[in-house]
Amino acid sequence: MDLDARIKRRQNRNNRPRLIQDYEPLSPVAHIAEPTNRGPVFERLLDHLDPAFDGRLPPNAYLYGPFGAGKSAIVKSLFSHLQQLSTETKSVIHTSTRVRSPSPPGFVYVDLRETQTGFAFYHTVLDALADESIPEHGISTETLRDKLRTVLGNERTGVVVAVDHVGEETDTGELVELFAGLPSNMSWLAIGRGTPEETRLSEYTATSIHVDRYQPQMLVDVLMTRASEGLAQQALSHELARQIANWADGSAYDALAALFIAADRANQDQRTRLTEADVDAAIAEIPQPSVSLGRVLALPDNKQLVLRELVDLDETKRASVTETTEAIASNPAVDLSPGTVKRFLYEIAEIGIVERVQASSRDGKGRPPSRVELRFPPTVFRRLYDLKNSE
DNA sequence: GATCCACGGGAATACACGGATG
DNA sequence: CATCCGTGTATTCCCGTGGATC
């Protein structure tokens, strides 16, 4: 928690006891700086990255494990520390008259959820490596790649790129394609869910590191830590945390989503403590299986806008894609043609963020319509979307 | 089959913006 | 400075295909 948050929290205290002090620590897609209880995984990653400390480039590798095991949190945290270290070391070397001390590689983290095209990928990497700002328009992908080659040519040791969420929108073949034609002083750490074999990443990597789901006790710790940062004192009992943890089956994502919804529900009721009914209701709201809100919140703005309207739509307006389209497109807040809204709905369904469910074929002629059902908990999306768009 | 919608791929068009040109 | 050009992205539109009933 940063200082601003601490001060804000003191301010709020004076009004009246507020259950929710801060949504951020409760968010299942926010990663806190130091993930708890993940020491062994850090150690294995550091073993793999060990050559970096001698100024050599580690080979390609693959970190994999189930949904909500903390993979992204671990790598984000680790890479930001390593990058900082790398920058500091380099500046020391620059200002020192003595040479010969090994130059560490650079470390860049790329999330393929936000970086889906080759253009976006090269842009992100380049932006992290170059001091100058990189244009986002009027420049070809090929030019961007050339620039990246040039920058890498000046890197003594090279760069390690963490590529998160391989296998969602971007598969192994596309990953390899992105690195094709780039200098060999660039290696990658892929992160995904599938095993090295089923993703064929074993063909490209020397090392695979597996992350296991959380043990229930670890999840309880995670929940208590987040609750202490985001909620009023004593709002979450140890017993309720245990219930959530047991249900979540090792997924910190699911556990935090449940906590978030339960807290929101209690807050609506003007209570300052969570009850078992809050938790039950929360669990009922989370679809199984569900898709990460990280993916939802990484969609283009207008697609998120369509979803934001969708989650508030009356049940009766959701009977068919056509009806849903009309309801959303007729909203003045949505400046899109009905055709586009419909297109978006189909595309969002195609990638599994909503699911088309065929109506029990009844009256009428022609192909029976289908309605869309959410594959993510609406309460969390609603709050996070509104928070993000109110700033 | 014939007919009626639902779907969804992909072409066409509009757009935003950095850079080049005059 | 005003304008045009090149490029990737967003939006819109078109139309063939899929799947149901009669």
Side-chain angles (χ1 to χ4, degrees):
Chain A
M1 185 164 33
D2 66 17
L3 193 53
D4 282 343
R6 287 178 197 280
I7 291 171
K8 203 159 85 188
R9 190 167 163 167
R10 297 292 171 128
Q11 266 184 333
N12 288 336
R13 186 190 57 185
N14 297 329
N15 304 334
R16 67 188 150 87
R18 283 240 322 239
L19 171 61
I20 297 180
Q21 307 282 340
D22 185 1
Y23 275 106
E24 183 70 17
L26 304 177
S27 163
V29 291
H31 297 126
I32 55 179
E34 301 279 344
T36 39
N37 290 317
R38 281 313 200 200
V41 184
F42 278 112
E43 282 303 321
R44 271 180 289 159
L45 274 171
L46 284 169
D47 283 346
H48 163 67
L49 297 171
D50 198 57
F53 298 101
D54 296 330
R56 289 178 294 128
L57 193 65
N60 296 340
Y62 181 41
L63 176 74
Y64 68 105
F67 185 37
K71 304 181 293 298
S72 299
I74 292 165
V75 174
K76 270 188 183 174
S77 167
L78 183 59
F79 268 55
S80 87
H81 281 269
L82 288 171
Q83 176 54 40
Q84 199 178 344
L85 191 68
S86 171
T87 315
E88 283 166 8
T89 312
K90 278 183 183 137
S91 64
V92 168
I93 291 172
H94 270 296
T95 55
S96 161
T97 49
R98 305 193 312 128
V99 275
R100 285 288 68 98
S101 82
S103 169
F107 293 90
V108 179
Y109 171 90
V110 179
D111 187 348
L112 290 179
R113 282 174 177 163
E114 293 160 353
T115 309
Q116 304 205 353
T117 61
F119 181 86
F121 179 79
Y122 299 127
H123 191 275
T124 306
V125 177
L126 206 45
D127 204 40
L129 294 178
D131 318 315
E132 73 222 84
S133 75
I134 313 298
E136 301 187 14
H137 294 271
I139 182 171
S140 74
T141 307
E142 198 42 50
T143 311
L144 217 46
R145 202 201 320 242
D146 288 345
K147 256 189 149 74
L148 185 52
R149 282 198 199 98
T150 311
V151 170
L152 283 166
N154 298 332
E155 283 286 328
R156 183 136 38 124
T157 307
V159 175
V160 185
V161 184
V163 188
D164 204 352
H165 302 113
V166 175
E168 279 182 9
E169 321 265 330
T170 308
D171 64 22
T172 301
E174 291 164 312
L175 169 71
V176 171
E177 190 65 28
L178 285 173
F179 283 89
L182 292 179
S184 59
N185 65 344
M186 194 176 198
S187 76
W188 43 263
L189 170 67
I191 301 139
R193 306 232 185 110
T195 66
E197 291 72 30
E198 62 196 21
T199 55
R200 297 191 305 110
L201 275 163
S202 53
E203 298 171 25
Y204 301 96
T205 56
T207 318
S208 296
I209 300 169
H210 182 249
V211 188
D212 230 343
R213 59 191 57 214
Y214 278 96
Q215 298 301 309
Q217 184 51 50
M218 290 185 188
L219 271 193
V220 172
D221 289 349
V222 171
L223 285 167
M224 296 309 288
T225 304
R226 297 285 195 117
S228 77
E229 288 182 18
L231 298 179
Q233 303 272 314
Q234 316 293 324
L236 177 70
S237 73
H238 206 267
E239 176 52 31
L240 277 183
R242 181 172 302 282
Q243 276 184 36
I244 294 173
N246 286 340
W247 164 80
D249 192 28
S251 165
Y253 174 89
D254 279 337
L256 289 169
L259 174 62
F260 191 109
I261 301 165
D264 192 62
R265 184 176 188 270
N267 192 45
Q268 301 272 303
D269 267 13
Q270 316 256 339
R271 283 180 281 110
T272 54
R273 286 189 170 215
L274 309 200
T275 65
E276 198 163 337
D278 294 327
V279 171
D280 290 344
I283 287 173
E285 192 190 305
I286 302 174
Q288 292 295 336
S290 73
V291 68
S292 170
L293 280 159
R295 284 183 69 191
V296 183
L297 295 165
L299 289 171
D301 290 349
N302 276 338
K303 283 189 177 168
Q304 288 191 52
L305 177 62
V306 167
L307 282 177
R308 180 64 186 85
E309 296 303 324
L310 176 65
V311 296
D312 279 353
L313 224 50
D314 206 70
E315 181 88 29
T316 58
K317 300 281 182 57
R318 292 206 214 175
S320 72
V321 173
T322 308
E323 275 189 86
T324 305
T325 298
E326 281 161 12
I328 293 174
S330 65
N331 186 323
V334 180
D335 184 24
L336 295 167
S337 79
T340 303
V341 172
K342 181 180 276 191
R343 186 100 280 279
F344 281 3
L345 287 172
Y346 283 125
E347 286 177 6
I348 293 166
E350 193 63 26
I351 56 178
I353 288 176
V354 298
E355 186 179 3
R356 288 194 301 105
V357 181
Q358 188 151 108
S360 47
S361 57
R362 32 170 186 76
D363 58 25
K365 313 172 190 302
R367 187 172 173 172
S370 51
R371 64 197 148 80
V372 291
E373 288 196 347
L374 308 178
R375 302 312 303 174
F376 57 89
T379 298
V380 189
F381 173 66
R382 207 180 267 126
R383 287 271 173 256
L384 293 181
Y385 180 92
D386 291 349
L387 278 174
K388 192 174 65 163
N389 290 283
S390 68
E391 282 157 7

